[in-house]
Amino acid sequence: MLLFIPVRLAIAHHQAPQPQAILVLGGGEDREEFAAQFAKFHPTLKIWVSSGSPPNKSRAIFQDAGIADSRVYLDYRATDTVTNFTTLVKVFQQQQIQHLFLITSDYHMPRAKAIATLVLGSQGIAFTPFAVPSNRTQESLLHIIRDIVRSLLWIVTGHTGASL
């Protein structure tokens, strides 16, 4: 079952070698500020912010960087890192996005990459990570393993176990 994920990721990378959109995981204004500056170098890409700052603050960050509102999609359905991915994966498929830039904090990136590999990879969506520097220590292996299990649960059942 899980053997198909590397194959789907390889196909996605081959079909879309360059990222087609930006996904920012909520968790701090610094991530959105980084993404706004990053987006200047990728002016054709749409930007999804998953459960980030309040809408007025998030919009202001992107507007201050000169990013048009029409490029920025704010989504507040996610309640945690696993649901950052599971709530948006269908949107990316509908938009025919096969490759994303993934932006989150450096301390959070190992867990985000593990989840993205499973959730996005199982749906044929590749990602290129960009970490926002911070002074925080990396998250624990226990958090990463817990969310790997939750991602596998989602692949098998369609449920994330977020209520557990």
Side-chain angles (χ1 to χ4, degrees):
M1 174 176 105
L2 295 178
L3 296 177
F4 69 91
I5 291 174
V7 173
R8 295 207 67 187
L9 284 170
I11 291 169
H13 268 288
H14 177 72
Q15 291 177 340
Q18 298 300 315
Q20 302 159 299
I22 299 169
L23 171 60
V24 186
L25 303 185
E29 289 177 18
D30 57 332
R31 296 177 188 181
E32 292 167 58
E33 290 167 357
F34 179 94
Q37 296 305 314
F38 184 85
K40 289 180 181 182
F41 295 98
H42 304 280
T44 62
L45 301 185
K46 294 178 183 176
I47 305 142
W48 273 267
V49 180
S50 180
S51 294
S53 302
N56 57 343
K57 181 62 178 170
S58 190
R59 291 250 180 244
I61 289 169
F62 286 96
Q63 288 170 352
D64 289 350
I67 305 299
D69 279 346
S70 61
R71 290 181 60 197
V72 181
Y73 298 85
L74 305 178
D75 188 288
Y76 294 94
R77 292 176 291 165
T79 57
D80 55 46
T81 307
V82 174
T83 57
N84 281 143
F85 294 100
T86 61
T87 58
L88 284 170
V89 70
K90 295 262 185 270
V91 172
F92 298 142
Q93 289 174 317
Q94 290 167 352
Q95 298 276 323
Q96 299 180 330
I97 294 169
Q98 292 180 281
H99 193 166
L100 296 165
F101 281 119
L102 171 62
I103 296 176
T104 192
S105 300
D106 55 1
Y107 70 89
H108 186 246
M109 189 58 81
R111 182 159 57 116
K113 285 180 8 182
I115 297 165
T117 298
L118 294 170
V119 173
L120 297 179
S122 71
Q123 304 302 305
I125 301 172
F127 65 95
T128 298
F130 270 87
V132 178
S134 74
N135 292 323
R136 294 182 58 179
T137 59
Q138 275 193 0
E139 295 174 321
S140 74
L141 185 57
L142 180 62
H143 282 99
I144 296 169
I145 292 170
R146 177 202 62 199
D147 283 353
I148 286 172
V149 170
R150 289 183 55 215
S151 298
L152 293 170
L153 177 68
W154 179 81
I155 290 169
V156 173
T157 69
H159 299 286
T160 64
S163 61
L164 298 177

